[in-house]
Amino acid sequence: MKLLSVLAVLAGSAAAHSWLECVDTVVPNKAEYKAHPSENVVQKCKGYPRNKVHNGDWIAESSYYSYGFNTEFACREGQRVPGQTAPGAPMATAKPGDKLLMRFWGNGHTRWDIGSPNHRDPGLVRIFWAGKPETEITKLNQLNEAYWIPGAQANFSADTITELTDNGRHMNEKANYFTFQVPEKIQNGRHMMVWSWAWKASLLNGKHRDANVYDDSWDNAWGTCFDLMITDSTYTEKANPDILVNNPSYNAKATDSKAQNEICSQTCYRGGMKDQACKGKDCPPCWYKTEGQVNCFAYSSGTNCPWTGAFDCKKGQMAVTSKREVAQHHARKHRV
């Protein structure tokens, strides 16, 4: 669903970030480590995301490797070359049906009760794939249900190792994990995929929390691109039919139209003011969602929405992000 790929909130994304640190992790005695998180455990990474140039340097990764979805691209700059690796950080190799323990960072967002921001739902992690080898996902608007791997969706903090300190008032997040089962219907060769953290409330209302149902109430906020080298597969069809974009019966236009109608028929508040409610076509064109409230604004100049992340109900599409807005986003991000 192209329309749903970047339904953003106006605030919060600059203060949060996460990234996929390891695609294929080996953790000796993980259950014991989880029960006793104060212990130090050497974790081996057998396969890395693309171009892991700052591997092991958390500060450098935080500044230059994490990627908030704020441009038209699905991958950050430096991860857009097919099969791109860094010295000592090869891509992961797997077989159909393998279970890969992916590791990413909580960065203060793992716990609802003591997380940052406090009492904010940590959202979801999920995986996107084109369903065929040597095929790139290049655009942000492809990170939607049409490219989602069924089952590859879990709570951000469903599998974590966290040490509580200061009588339980603070947490030391050792690692967040996501178990990804490689599809059985996958051909030999290199497969490009995208890991995402969906942390922003979308303009849609369905909440599924079912690994096999795409939860469109959450919008992708941060992501990391990675490759898998698949071996020992006997699957020879052209593409995996479970990926909706490869299913001949999938109607993208109808799906987009349904989403647009749901979004643009709601009640929203002009300028974010509670006493300025309007509904549907009577509202300004640029729609946003902030802290659970749907707000709408007029064009700031010409036919441009005032901030990035808007859904333009007049045009029936996501508002284009300007270079100036991207620069402003990065300035805010590095001030946090």
Side-chain angles (χ1 to χ4, degrees):
M1 289 178 284
K2 293 186 292 183
L3 302 181
L4 310 184
S5 58
V6 271
L7 301 175
V9 291
L10 294 179
S13 61
H17 61 305
S18 184
W19 62 95
L20 181 62
E21 201 276 332
C22 179
V23 175
D24 188 4
T25 312
V26 176
V27 189
N29 302 317
K30 179 169 174 281
E32 184 176 344
Y33 181 34
K34 197 166 187 174
H36 305 283
S38 60
E39 296 181 4
N40 291 319
V41 174
V42 176
Q43 303 187 41
K44 180 180 179 181
C45 186
K46 297 171 60 181
Y48 297 82
R50 280 188 177 177
N51 199 25
K52 194 71 159 39
V53 291
H54 297 290
N55 187 43
D57 186 334
W58 191 93
I59 299 299
E61 288 186 9
S62 178
S63 298
Y64 302 108
Y65 191 70
S66 62
Y67 177 50
F69 292 126
N70 50 44
T71 72
E72 64 178 305
F73 297 103
C75 303
R76 70 160 295 147
E77 189 176 2
Q79 286 193 330
R80 297 174 191 162
V81 176
Q84 190 173 17
T85 61
M91 72 176 71
T93 298
K95 300 176 183 179
D98 278 356
K99 290 185 178 180
L100 304 180
L101 186 64
M102 296 184 158
R103 185 171 72 238
F104 56 96
W105 300 130
N107 288 335
H109 312 296
T110 296
R111 292 278 295 249
W112 163 273
D113 52 346
I114 56 175
S116 175
N118 195 24
H119 289 166
R120 173 159 176 171
D121 193 312
L124 305 168
V125 290
R126 47 197 179 200
I127 308 291
F128 300 92
W129 173 44
K132 58 185 78 171
E134 298 296 335
T135 305
E136 297 290 297
I137 294 176
T138 60
K139 300 296 184 181
L140 178 57
N141 64 16
Q142 293 174 277
L143 301 185
N144 54 56
E145 187 176 9
Y147 287 84
W148 172 64
I149 301 175
Q153 179 175 269
N155 189 287
F156 181 82
S157 55
D159 186 8
T160 67
I161 294 178
T162 303
E163 179 185 16
L164 295 180
T165 60
D166 194 17
N167 293 321
R169 288 178 291 183
H170 298 93
M171 60 180 170
N172 179 12
E173 297 161 287
K174 297 299 184 77
N176 287 39
Y177 300 103
F178 171 53
T179 300
F180 169 52
Q181 183 162 5
V182 179
E184 295 283 355
K185 298 176 182 177
I186 189 168
Q187 307 92 328
N188 286 323
R190 183 189 65 85
H191 292 260
M192 181 268 191
M193 297 181 180
V194 182
W195 171 92
S196 88
W197 175 26
W199 193 61
K200 300 181 294 187
S202 80
L203 286 162
L204 296 172
N205 298 315
K207 291 186 178 180
H208 309 297
R209 290 304 170 113
D210 180 335
N212 296 305
V213 180
Y214 188 81
D215 192 338
D216 51 21
S217 67
W218 289 94
D219 183 40
N220 305 307
W222 297 82
T224 307
C225 293
F226 67 98
D227 295 287
L228 286 182
M229 182 60 69
I230 300 298
T231 63
D232 299 335
S233 174
T234 59
Y235 188 70
T236 58
E237 297 299 321
K238 184 178 179 180
N240 183 312
D242 299 326
I243 304 301
L244 284 179
V245 73
N246 299 321
N247 192 323
S249 65
Y250 176 68
N251 188 330
K253 289 185 178 180
T255 302
D256 286 352
S257 178
K258 181 180 178 181
Q260 180 184 345
N261 289 337
E262 181 178 339
I263 292 168
C264 301
S265 62
Q266 301 180 70
T267 295
C268 77
Y269 297 93
R270 296 174 185 268
M273 296 182 288
K274 277 288 189 180
D275 61 346
Q276 295 292 320
C278 61
K279 189 165 184 176
K281 294 181 180 179
D282 295 330
C283 302
C286 302
W287 291 52
Y288 304 85
K289 192 169 188 177
T290 309
E291 302 301 326
Q293 178 174 308
V294 179
N295 302 312
C296 43
F297 299 82
Y299 293 133
S300 60
S301 61
T303 57
N304 295 321
C305 289
W307 303 284
T308 185
F311 184 82
D312 189 327
C313 284
K314 185 175 181 179
K315 299 177 182 177
Q317 63 186 31
M318 293 306 303
V320 175
T321 303
S322 69
K323 291 182 179 180
R324 177 172 172 269
E325 289 167 337
V326 172
Q328 289 173 338
H329 173 89
H330 281 294
R332 291 194 300 269
K333 173 183 173 183
H334 289 290
R335 283 200 298 269
V336 173

